Amino acid sequence: MSETAEDHRLACIALNLVNGVGPRLQTTLLERFPNPYDIFKAPASQLMSVPGVGKKLLSTLDANNHRDMARRELEDCDREEISVITNRDVSYPAMLKQICDPPLVLYCRGRILASDQLAVAIVGSRNCTLYGRRMAEQFASGLARAGVTIISGLARGIDAVAHRAALQAGGRTIAVCASGLLKMYPPEHSNLALEIAQSGAVISESPLLRQPTRGLFPQRNRIVSGMSLGVIVIEASTTSGTLHTARHAMEQGREVFAVPGPLDSRESAGCHQLIRDGVQLVRGVDDVLQELGPLMEPVQVQKPVQQSTPVDRAQDSNVKPNDTPPIRVPRELNLSDQQSMILKLIDSTPILVDEIIERSGIEPSRVLSTLTILQMKKLIDRLPGNLVTRSKHV
C-alpha cells in the first residue's frame, strides 16, 4: 500500500516530536532513511550507524509511541485551526528548501502564499531606540506598500515594530516563532500574532506546546533569513543575536543590508561592524529593491490600495489596475503603472519600438521616455534596428 500525503505528514510530525532530534540530525537521518516512518521501524544497529545517534536517543524512541503522539498533535492543530506544512506541500516556501537543514515541518496559523517568495526580513535590537523604531517603520511600511512581504521573529523591539508597520500599511507580514504556536513568546505579543495571522502567517517548526529555550532562537533565525531575499539589520549591538540572522543570510546566499546609526550609539555598533565588513549600507526602500536579485519564478504581486494624485491618475489613465505583469526582479516594484504596462509588452524576443507604441496606445513621446527609464533601471536592453528586449540579467 502506497504512502499517502497524510501518512507522510504524520511521519514528519512524529520525527519532529522526538526529543534530542534537532534540524541537523533530522537532515542526517532523512539522508539515510528517506521515509520518516522507516526511522521508527529501523533496527538499533542501523540507527546507531547514523552520526549523532546514541543510546539516549534509542531509549527515547523505545519509550514513546511517537505515532500516537503525532496523531494527537495533528488533532490539536485541527482544533486550533493550525495547518502543518511539509516539504511535499505546495505551500512549503520554495526558498526554504534550498537552505542547509530546512525545517521538516512548519506549523502555520494563517496562509503562506506564492507571492511570499518576494519577501524581505527586518530584524534588530530588542532594546531599540526611537531612531531604530523610526527606521523600522519606514522600511517595513515602504516595502509593504511596494508589495513585499515583511518577515521577522515577533520579538520585542525592532521585530514587533516591523510587523506592526507592515500591517498598518495594508501589507503582508510573516512572523517566525521559536516556541510552539500555543506557547507564544513573548506572551504580550499574542494579540499581535493573531493580527498577523489574519492577513499573513505565524509559523514555527517547534511542536505546539514547546516552551521557548535559548537554543531555539538561533534555529528560528535560519528560517527568518531562509524565507527572505534579503535581511535588513536595524540596530544591533556587537553581541546581539540579530547578527546570527545576518550570518545565516550570508551562508544561505541572501543579501544582507545594514542601516547605519549614530556613531556613538551602542545599539548600532553591530550594524557599523557589518558595514565595515562589506555589508551593503541602505538609506531607504529604493536601495533595498535595487540590490535584491531575481526571484526563483515570476510572481503576481497585489499591492495595498493607495491614494493617487491627479497627476498619477492622468499619467496612468491608459492602464488597467489589475493588468500588472508578474514581478521577475524586486526593482520592478518601483515602476509606475505605465512603466509596468510597457514592460509587460517586452520579453526575451526582440520587439520593434514602433510596435510597442502601437500596442500600448500611448503617445510616442511618453513611450520613448518610459523605455529610457526602463533601460536605466537595467530592465530592458536596446538592440540595433530600433529593437528592445528584456535584459539578460532579469
Side-chain angles (χ1 to χ4, degrees), residues 86-152:
T86 74
N87 59 4
R88 292 188 183 180
D89 295 320
V90 294
S91 56
Y92 190 97
M95 293 181 67
L96 263 190
K97 294 181 181 180
Q98 298 179 324
I99 73 171
C100 181
D101 304 330
L104 182 61
V105 299
L106 289 173
Y107 293 82
C108 176
R109 193 189 292 275
R111 291 179 62 206
I112 298 176
L113 306 180
S115 60
D116 290 330
Q117 69 167 296
L118 182 56
V120 168
I122 297 179
V123 295
S125 173
R126 288 172 171 79
N127 302 310
C128 59
T129 66
L130 289 175
Y131 167 80
R133 292 181 63 88
R134 189 168 75 251
M135 291 300 99
E137 288 171 352
Q138 288 182 14
F139 276 91
S141 60
L143 287 167
R145 283 193 292 269
V148 176
T149 298
I150 303 301
I151 297 182
S152 199

Coordinates of all heavy atoms in Angstrom, one line a residue, residues 86-152:
T86 N 4.5 20.3 5.2 CA 5.7 19.5 5.0 C 6.3 19.9 3.6 O 5.7 20.6 2.8 CB 5.5 18.0 5.0 OG1 4.8 17.6 3.7 CG2 4.6 17.6 6.1
N87 N 7.5 19.4 3.4 CA 8.2 19.9 2.1 C 7.6 19.3 0.9 O 8.0 19.6 -0.2 CB 9.7 19.5 2.2 CG 10.0 18.1 2.4 OD1 9.0 17.2 2.4 ND2 11.2 17.7 2.5
R88 N 6.6 18.4 1.1 CA 5.8 17.9 -0.1 C 4.6 18.7 -0.5 O 4.0 18.5 -1.5 CB 5.4 16.4 0.2 CG 6.5 15.4 0.2 CD 5.9 14.0 0.3 NE 7.0 13.0 0.4 CZ 6.7 11.7 0.5 NH1 5.5 11.3 0.4 NH2 7.7 10.9 0.6
D89 N 4.3 19.7 0.4 CA 3.1 20.5 0.2 C 3.5 21.7 -0.7 O 4.6 22.3 -0.6 CB 2.6 21.1 1.5 CG 2.0 19.9 2.4 OD1 1.4 19.0 1.8 OD2 2.3 20.0 3.6
V90 N 2.6 22.1 -1.6 CA 2.8 23.3 -2.5 C 3.0 24.6 -1.7 O 3.7 25.5 -2.2 CB 1.7 23.4 -3.5 CG1 1.6 22.2 -4.4 CG2 0.3 23.6 -2.8
S91 N 2.5 24.7 -0.5 CA 2.6 25.9 0.3 C 3.9 26.0 1.0 O 4.2 27.0 1.7 CB 1.4 26.1 1.2 OG 1.3 24.9 2.1
Y92 N 4.7 24.9 1.0 CA 6.0 25.0 1.7 C 6.9 26.0 0.9 O 7.0 25.9 -0.3 CB 6.7 23.6 1.7 CG 7.9 23.5 2.6 CD1 7.8 23.0 3.9 CD2 9.2 23.9 2.1 CE1 9.0 22.9 4.7 CE2 10.3 23.8 2.9 CZ 10.2 23.3 4.2 OH 11.3 23.3 5.0
P93 N 7.5 27.0 1.6 CA 8.2 28.0 0.9 C 9.4 27.4 0.1 O 10.2 26.7 0.6 CB 8.7 28.9 2.0 CG 7.8 28.7 3.2 CD 7.4 27.2 3.0
A94 N 9.4 27.7 -1.2 CA 10.4 27.1 -2.1 C 11.8 27.5 -1.7 O 12.7 26.7 -1.8 CB 10.1 27.6 -3.5
M95 N 12.0 28.8 -1.2 CA 13.3 29.2 -0.9 C 13.9 28.5 0.4 O 15.1 28.3 0.5 CB 13.3 30.7 -0.6 CG 13.1 31.5 -1.9 SD 13.1 33.3 -1.5 CE 14.8 33.5 -1.1
L96 N 13.0 28.0 1.2 CA 13.4 27.3 2.4 C 14.0 25.9 2.1 O 14.9 25.4 2.8 CB 12.2 27.1 3.4 CG 12.1 28.0 4.5 CD1 11.0 27.5 5.5 CD2 13.4 28.3 5.3
K97 N 13.5 25.3 1.0 CA 14.1 24.0 0.6 C 15.5 24.1 0.2 O 16.2 23.1 0.2 CB 13.3 23.5 -0.6 CG 11.8 23.1 -0.3 CD 11.1 22.6 -1.5 CE 9.7 22.2 -1.2 NZ 8.9 21.7 -2.4
Q98 N 16.0 25.3 -0.1 CA 17.4 25.5 -0.6 C 18.4 25.6 0.5 O 19.6 25.4 0.3 CB 17.5 26.8 -1.4 CG 16.6 26.8 -2.7 CD 16.8 28.1 -3.4 OE1 16.9 29.2 -2.9 NE2 16.8 28.0 -4.8
I99 N 17.9 25.9 1.8 CA 18.9 26.1 2.8 C 19.4 24.8 3.4 O 18.8 23.7 3.2 CB 18.3 27.0 3.9 CG1 17.2 26.2 4.8 CG2 17.6 28.2 3.3 CD1 16.8 27.0 6.0
C100 N 20.5 24.9 4.2 CA 21.0 23.8 4.9 C 20.1 23.5 6.1 O 19.6 24.4 6.8 CB 22.4 24.2 5.5 SG 23.2 22.8 6.4
D101 N 19.7 22.2 6.2 CA 18.8 21.8 7.3 C 17.5 22.5 7.3 O 17.1 23.2 8.3 CB 19.5 21.9 8.7 CG 20.8 21.2 8.8 OD1 21.0 20.2 8.1 OD2 21.7 21.7 9.5
P102 N 16.7 22.4 6.2 CA 15.4 23.1 6.2 C 14.5 22.4 7.2 O 14.6 21.3 7.6 CB 14.9 22.8 4.7 CG 15.6 21.6 4.3 CD 17.0 21.6 5.0
P103 N 13.5 23.2 7.7 CA 12.5 22.6 8.7 C 11.8 21.4 8.1 O 11.4 21.4 6.9 CB 11.6 23.8 8.9 CG 12.2 25.0 8.3 CD 13.2 24.6 7.4
L104 N 11.7 20.4 8.9 CA 10.9 19.2 8.5 C 9.4 19.5 8.3 O 8.8 19.1 7.4 CB 11.1 18.1 9.5 CG 10.5 16.7 9.2 CD1 11.0 16.2 7.9 CD2 10.8 15.8 10.3
V105 N 8.9 20.3 9.3 CA 7.5 20.7 9.2 C 7.4 22.2 9.6 O 8.3 22.7 10.3 CB 6.6 19.9 10.1 CG1 6.6 18.4 9.8 CG2 7.0 20.0 11.6
L106 N 6.4 22.8 9.2 CA 6.1 24.2 9.6 C 4.7 24.2 10.1 O 3.7 23.8 9.4 CB 6.2 25.1 8.4 CG 7.6 25.5 7.9 CD1 7.5 26.3 6.6 CD2 8.4 26.2 9.0
Y107 N 4.5 24.6 11.4 CA 3.2 24.8 11.9 C 2.8 26.2 11.5 O 3.5 27.2 11.7 CB 3.2 24.7 13.4 CG 3.5 23.3 14.0 CD1 4.8 22.8 14.1 CD2 2.4 22.5 14.4 CE1 5.0 21.6 14.6 CE2 2.7 21.2 14.9 CZ 4.0 20.8 15.0 OH 4.2 19.5 15.5
C108 N 1.6 26.4 11.0 CA 1.2 27.7 10.4 C -0.2 28.1 10.8 O -1.2 27.3 10.5 CB 1.3 27.6 8.8 SG 0.8 29.0 8.0
R109 N -0.3 29.2 11.4 CA -1.6 29.9 11.6 C -1.7 31.0 10.6 O -0.9 32.0 10.6 CB -1.7 30.4 13.0 CG -3.1 30.8 13.4 CD -3.1 31.5 14.8 NE -2.8 30.7 15.9 CZ -3.6 29.9 16.5 NH1 -4.9 29.8 16.1 NH2 -3.2 29.1 17.6
G110 N -2.7 30.9 9.7 CA -2.7 31.9 8.6 C -2.4 31.1 7.3 O -2.6 29.9 7.2
R111 N -1.9 31.9 6.3 CA -1.6 31.3 5.0 C -0.3 31.8 4.5 O 0.0 33.0 4.6 CB -2.7 31.6 4.0 CG -4.1 31.0 4.2 CD -5.0 31.4 3.2 NE -4.6 31.0 1.8 CZ -5.0 31.5 0.7 NH1 -5.7 32.6 0.7 NH2 -4.6 31.1 -0.5
I112 N 0.5 30.9 3.8 CA 1.7 31.2 3.1 C 1.3 31.2 1.6 O 0.8 30.2 1.1 CB 2.8 30.3 3.4 CG1 3.2 30.3 4.9 CG2 4.0 30.6 2.5 CD1 4.3 29.3 5.3
L113 N 1.6 32.3 0.9 CA 1.2 32.5 -0.5 C 2.4 32.4 -1.4 O 3.5 32.6 -0.9 CB 0.5 33.8 -0.7 CG -0.7 34.1 0.2 CD1 -1.3 35.5 -0.2 CD2 -1.8 33.1 0.0
A114 N 2.2 32.1 -2.7 CA 3.3 32.1 -3.6 C 4.0 33.4 -3.7 O 5.2 33.4 -3.9 CB 2.7 31.7 -5.0
S115 N 3.2 34.5 -3.5 CA 3.9 35.8 -3.6 C 4.8 36.1 -2.4 O 5.5 37.1 -2.5 CB 2.8 36.9 -3.7 OG 1.9 36.8 -2.5
D116 N 4.8 35.2 -1.4 CA 5.6 35.5 -0.2 C 7.1 35.2 -0.5 O 7.9 35.4 0.4 CB 5.1 34.7 1.0 CG 3.8 35.2 1.5 OD1 3.6 36.4 1.4 OD2 3.0 34.4 2.0
Q117 N 7.4 34.6 -1.7 CA 8.8 34.5 -2.0 C 9.4 35.9 -2.3 O 10.6 36.0 -2.3 CB 9.0 33.6 -3.2 CG 8.5 34.1 -4.6 CD 9.1 33.3 -5.8 OE1 10.3 33.3 -6.0 NE2 8.2 32.7 -6.5
L118 N 8.6 36.9 -2.5 CA 9.0 38.3 -2.7 C 9.0 38.8 -1.2 O 8.1 39.6 -0.8 CB 8.1 39.0 -3.6 CG 8.5 40.5 -3.9 CD1 9.9 40.6 -4.4 CD2 7.5 41.1 -4.9
A119 N 10.0 38.5 -0.4 CA 10.0 38.8 1.0 C 11.3 39.4 1.4 O 12.4 39.0 0.9 CB 9.6 37.6 1.8
V120 N 11.3 40.2 2.4 CA 12.5 40.8 3.0 C 12.3 40.7 4.5 O 11.3 41.0 5.0 CB 12.7 42.3 2.6 CG1 13.8 42.9 3.4 CG2 13.1 42.4 1.1
A121 N 13.4 40.3 5.2 CA 13.4 40.2 6.6 C 13.9 41.5 7.2 O 14.8 42.1 6.7 CB 14.2 39.0 7.1
I122 N 13.2 41.9 8.3 CA 13.7 43.1 9.1 C 13.9 42.7 10.5 O 13.0 42.2 11.2 CB 12.7 44.3 9.0 CG1 12.5 44.8 7.6 CG2 13.1 45.4 9.9 CD1 11.5 45.9 7.4
V123 N 15.2 42.8 11.0 CA 15.5 42.3 12.3 C 16.3 43.4 13.0 O 16.9 44.2 12.4 CB 16.3 41.0 12.3 CG1 15.4 39.8 11.7 CG2 17.5 41.1 11.4
G124 N 16.4 43.3 14.3 CA 17.2 44.2 15.1 C 17.1 44.1 16.6 O 16.6 43.1 17.1
S125 N 17.5 45.1 17.2 CA 17.6 45.1 18.7 C 16.2 45.0 19.4 O 15.3 45.6 19.0 CB 18.3 46.3 19.2 OG 18.3 46.4 20.6
R126 N 16.2 44.2 20.5 CA 15.0 44.2 21.3 C 14.9 45.5 22.1 O 13.8 45.9 22.5 CB 15.1 43.0 22.3 CG 14.8 41.7 21.6 CD 15.1 40.5 22.6 NE 14.6 39.3 22.0 CZ 15.3 38.6 21.1 NH1 16.5 39.0 20.6 NH2 14.9 37.4 20.6
N127 N 16.1 46.1 22.4 CA 16.1 47.4 23.2 C 16.3 48.6 22.2 O 17.3 49.3 22.3 CB 17.2 47.3 24.2 CG 17.1 46.2 25.2 OD1 16.0 46.0 25.7 ND2 18.1 45.4 25.3
C128 N 15.5 48.7 21.2 CA 15.7 49.7 20.2 C 15.4 51.1 20.7 O 14.7 51.3 21.6 CB 14.7 49.4 19.0 SG 13.0 49.4 19.4
T129 N 16.1 52.0 20.0 CA 15.9 53.4 20.4 C 14.8 54.0 19.5 O 14.2 53.3 18.6 CB 17.2 54.2 20.0 OG1 17.4 54.2 18.6 CG2 18.4 53.6 20.7
L130 N 14.4 55.3 19.8 CA 13.4 55.9 18.9 C 13.8 56.0 17.5 O 13.0 55.8 16.6 CB 13.1 57.3 19.5 CG 12.4 57.4 20.8 CD1 12.3 58.8 21.3 CD2 11.0 56.8 20.7
Y131 N 15.1 56.2 17.3 CA 15.6 56.2 15.9 C 15.4 54.9 15.2 O 15.0 54.8 14.1 CB 17.1 56.6 15.9 CG 17.8 56.3 14.6 CD1 17.8 57.2 13.6 CD2 18.6 55.2 14.4 CE1 18.4 57.0 12.4 CE2 19.3 54.9 13.2 CZ 19.2 55.8 12.2 OH 19.8 55.6 11.0
G132 N 15.7 53.8 16.0 CA 15.6 52.4 15.4 C 14.1 52.2 15.1 O 13.8 51.6 14.0
R133 N 13.2 52.6 15.9 CA 11.8 52.4 15.7 C 11.4 53.1 14.4 O 10.6 52.6 13.6 CB 11.0 52.9 16.9 CG 11.1 52.1 18.1 CD 10.2 52.6 19.2 NE 8.8 52.5 18.8 CZ 8.0 51.5 19.1 NH1 8.5 50.4 19.7 NH2 6.8 51.5 18.7
R134 N 11.9 54.3 14.3 CA 11.5 55.1 13.1 C 12.0 54.5 11.8 O 11.3 54.4 10.8 CB 12.1 56.6 13.3 CG 11.5 57.5 12.2 CD 11.9 58.9 12.5 NE 13.3 59.3 12.3 CZ 14.2 59.5 13.3 NH1 13.8 59.4 14.5 NH2 15.4 59.8 13.0
M135 N 13.2 54.0 11.8 CA 13.8 53.3 10.7 C 13.0 52.1 10.3 O 12.7 51.8 9.2 CB 15.3 53.0 10.9 CG 16.2 54.2 10.9 SD 16.2 55.2 9.4 CE 15.0 56.6 9.9
A136 N 12.7 51.3 11.4 CA 12.0 50.0 11.1 C 10.6 50.3 10.5 O 10.1 49.6 9.6 CB 11.8 49.2 12.4
E137 N 9.9 51.3 11.0 CA 8.6 51.7 10.5 C 8.7 52.2 9.0 O 7.9 51.8 8.2 CB 8.0 52.8 11.3 CG 7.6 52.4 12.7 CD 7.2 53.5 13.6 OE1 7.4 54.7 13.2 OE2 6.6 53.3 14.7
Q138 N 9.8 53.0 8.7 CA 9.9 53.5 7.4 C 10.2 52.3 6.4 O 9.6 52.2 5.3 CB 11.0 54.5 7.3 CG 10.7 55.8 7.9 CD 11.8 56.8 7.8 OE1 12.8 56.6 7.1 NE2 11.7 57.9 8.6
F139 N 11.1 51.4 6.7 CA 11.5 50.3 5.8 C 10.3 49.4 5.7 O 10.0 48.9 4.6 CB 12.7 49.6 6.3 CG 14.0 50.3 5.9 CD1 14.6 51.3 6.7 CD2 14.6 50.0 4.7 CE1 15.8 51.9 6.3 CE2 15.8 50.6 4.3 CZ 16.4 51.6 5.1
A140 N 9.7 49.0 6.8 CA 8.6 48.0 6.7 C 7.4 48.5 6.0 O 6.9 47.8 5.1 CB 8.3 47.5 8.2
S141 N 7.0 49.7 6.3 CA 5.8 50.2 5.6 C 6.1 50.5 4.2 O 5.2 50.2 3.3 CB 5.3 51.5 6.3 OG 6.4 52.5 6.3
G142 N 7.3 51.0 3.8 CA 7.6 51.3 2.4 C 7.7 50.0 1.6 O 7.1 50.0 0.5
L143 N 8.3 49.0 2.1 CA 8.4 47.7 1.4 C 7.0 47.1 1.3 O 6.7 46.5 0.3 CB 9.4 46.8 2.1 CG 10.9 47.2 2.0 CD1 11.7 46.4 2.9 CD2 11.4 46.9 0.5
A144 N 6.3 47.1 2.4 CA 4.9 46.5 2.3 C 4.0 47.2 1.3 O 3.3 46.5 0.6 CB 4.3 46.6 3.7
R145 N 4.1 48.5 1.2 CA 3.3 49.2 0.2 C 3.7 48.9 -1.2 O 2.9 48.9 -2.1 CB 3.4 50.7 0.5 CG 2.5 51.2 1.6 CD 2.4 52.7 1.6 NE 3.6 53.4 1.9 CZ 4.0 53.7 3.1 NH1 3.2 53.5 4.1 NH2 5.2 54.3 3.3
A146 N 5.0 48.5 -1.4 CA 5.5 48.2 -2.7 C 5.1 46.7 -3.1 O 5.2 46.3 -4.2 CB 7.0 48.3 -2.7
G147 N 4.6 46.0 -2.1 CA 4.1 44.6 -2.4 C 5.0 43.5 -1.8 O 4.9 42.3 -2.1
V148 N 6.0 43.9 -1.0 CA 7.0 43.0 -0.4 C 6.4 42.5 0.9 O 5.9 43.2 1.7 CB 8.3 43.7 -0.2 CG1 9.3 42.7 0.5 CG2 8.9 44.1 -1.5
T149 N 6.5 41.1 1.1 CA 6.2 40.6 2.4 C 7.3 40.8 3.4 O 8.4 40.6 3.1 CB 5.9 39.0 2.3 OG1 4.8 38.8 1.4 CG2 5.6 38.4 3.6
I150 N 6.9 41.3 4.6 CA 7.9 41.5 5.7 C 7.9 40.3 6.6 O 6.9 39.9 7.1 CB 7.5 42.8 6.5 CG1 7.4 44.0 5.5 CG2 8.5 43.0 7.6 CD1 8.6 44.3 4.8
I151 N 9.2 39.8 6.8 CA 9.4 38.7 7.7 C 10.2 39.1 8.9 O 11.2 39.8 8.7 CB 10.0 37.5 6.9 CG1 9.2 37.0 5.8 CG2 10.4 36.4 7.9 CD1 9.7 35.9 5.0
S152 N 9.8 38.6 10.1 CA 10.6 38.9 11.3 C 10.3 37.9 12.3 O 9.5 36.9 12.0 CB 10.3 40.3 11.8 OG 11.4 40.7 12.7

